[in-house]
Amino acid sequence: MARRKKVYEGKAKILFEGPEPGTLIQYFKDDENGPEAGSGANVAPISAASEGKGVLNNRLSEFFMAGLNNIGVPTHFIRRLNMREQLVRMAEIIPLEILVRNFATGGISDRLGIPEGMGLPRPIMEYYFKDEKLGTPLVTEEHIIAFGWGNQQDLDDMVELALRVNDFLSGVMLGVGVRLMDFRIEIGRVWDGDYMRLILADEISPDSMTLWDLRQPERADGSVPEPGPLSDVYAELARRIGVLPSNVTHVSKPSLIN
């Protein structure tokens, strides 16, 4: 990478100053992420890097973000620059992770005793305060308004944005034989003239999803097992969607992202 000013570095990405004002370059690393907010911590953190994971996440996030842009869902994505980098719009990130649950798994099953894999009556949204020192705790809408992380209009807009993302992702996943159990997004504020609006930020990749495979092979007795976690999740999802680069053929763990 050429010398440039680093703005932020997390577990999976590095942000650099972009070539134009109001832009950033988002670089995808190979480092593994541990369990995300609300996972119930039933997946052990993985410290080893998976070769090619950053390349796949860059391609997958481009696919999802560009698709959302095309249907009118505002995102920070501008374009992919190369195998590991994309140009994104700078945004003021709201300090929340929004977890959208379609089926019970991970944290909600642990907390409420709901069987893993059970369909929820409707998509359920959970909010987590982004502070790793505190363990990214679950918070309520009352906390969000009281502490100034957002107002009621922000909450309404976040719910609408998250539901539109959910409809798009659920349809894409179902089309390739994958059940979208849940996913996590981050939202940022940008100014358009005199008006502020909310856009989808960060990334959309297997790092922030729980995915179950609906294409289960038959058993020896001819029966088909119940859906379970998608194995080799990065490469397999990229292969099914059709964005797997020719020089990446396998990415190891994790097989389940909560």
Side-chain angles (χ1 to χ4, degrees):
M1 293 182 290
R3 293 181 63 88
R4 53 198 171 185
K5 184 177 180 181
K6 183 190 298 184
V7 176
Y8 168 82
E9 181 169 1
K11 290 181 291 186
K13 295 181 297 296
I14 305 174
L15 294 177
F16 298 96
E17 283 188 344
E20 298 96 26
T23 65
L24 296 168
I25 293 175
Q26 185 165 255
Y27 174 89
F28 288 79
K29 302 194 295 184
D30 284 340
D31 295 354
E32 296 284 9
N33 276 355
E36 299 294 348
S39 68
N42 62 348
V43 181
I46 300 169
S47 58
S50 291
E51 185 178 356
K53 169 182 171 289
V55 172
L56 293 176
N57 277 354
N58 185 24
R59 286 293 188 94
L60 286 165
S61 193
E62 174 199 15
F63 175 87
F64 293 126
M65 290 285 192
L68 288 165
N69 283 340
N70 288 338
I71 63 171
V73 178
T75 81
H76 75 159
F77 177 79
I78 300 174
R79 65 179 182 275
R80 182 170 61 86
L81 298 174
N82 53 49
M83 294 292 283
R84 288 188 180 271
E85 296 179 327
Q86 51 186 239
L87 185 67
V88 300
R89 187 173 181 181
M90 187 182 296
E92 176 193 347
I93 301 298
I94 296 174
L96 298 169
E97 294 182 358
I98 302 172
L99 189 64
V100 182
R101 296 186 181 276
N102 296 309
F103 297 85
T105 186
I108 196 170
S109 293
D110 296 340
R111 291 195 307 269
L112 304 181
I114 302 173
E116 287 268 346
M118 188 184 83
L120 301 175
R122 60 173 183 153
I124 293 177
M125 287 180 209
E126 296 176 351
Y127 304 95
Y128 293 84
F129 178 49
K130 283 178 58 64
D131 189 319
E132 291 187 6
K133 293 180 180 178
L134 299 177
T136 316
L138 178 67
V139 295
T140 67
E141 292 186 358
E142 287 292 320
H143 292 109
I144 294 169
I145 294 174
F147 294 118
W149 302 324
N151 55 35
Q152 187 60 56
Q153 185 60 58
D154 290 333
L155 284 168
D156 293 343
D157 291 344
M158 284 191 287
V159 168
E160 180 183 0
L161 186 59
L163 288 176
R164 293 181 69 189
V165 174
N166 189 36
D167 287 344
F168 173 77
L169 292 180
S170 295
V172 170
M173 295 301 182
L174 191 59
V176 295
V178 175
R179 177 178 292 166
L180 181 64
M181 307 295 286
D182 59 46
F183 66 94
R184 172 187 53 82
I185 58 173
E186 295 183 22
I187 291 176
R189 297 184 178 96
V190 296
W191 288 92
D192 282 335
D194 296 330
Y195 298 95
M196 185 273 295
R197 64 173 179 147
L198 301 183
I199 65 171
L200 186 65
D202 194 42
E203 65 173 298
I204 298 180
S205 77
D207 278 350
S208 54
M209 302 174 180
T210 304
L211 305 174
W212 278 24
D213 193 358
L214 299 176
R215 297 179 181 174
Q216 297 286 345
E218 288 188 0
R219 296 191 178 103
D221 61 4
S223 64
V224 178
E226 290 296 315
L230 183 68
S231 61
D232 296 328
V233 61
Y234 302 101
E236 180 60 24
L237 182 60
R239 184 177 296 112
R240 292 191 189 185
I241 288 176
V243 299
L244 181 67
S246 59
N247 63 333
V248 178
T249 58
H250 176 78
V251 177
S252 59
K253 299 176 180 179
S255 61
L256 170 62
I257 308 296
N258 274 345

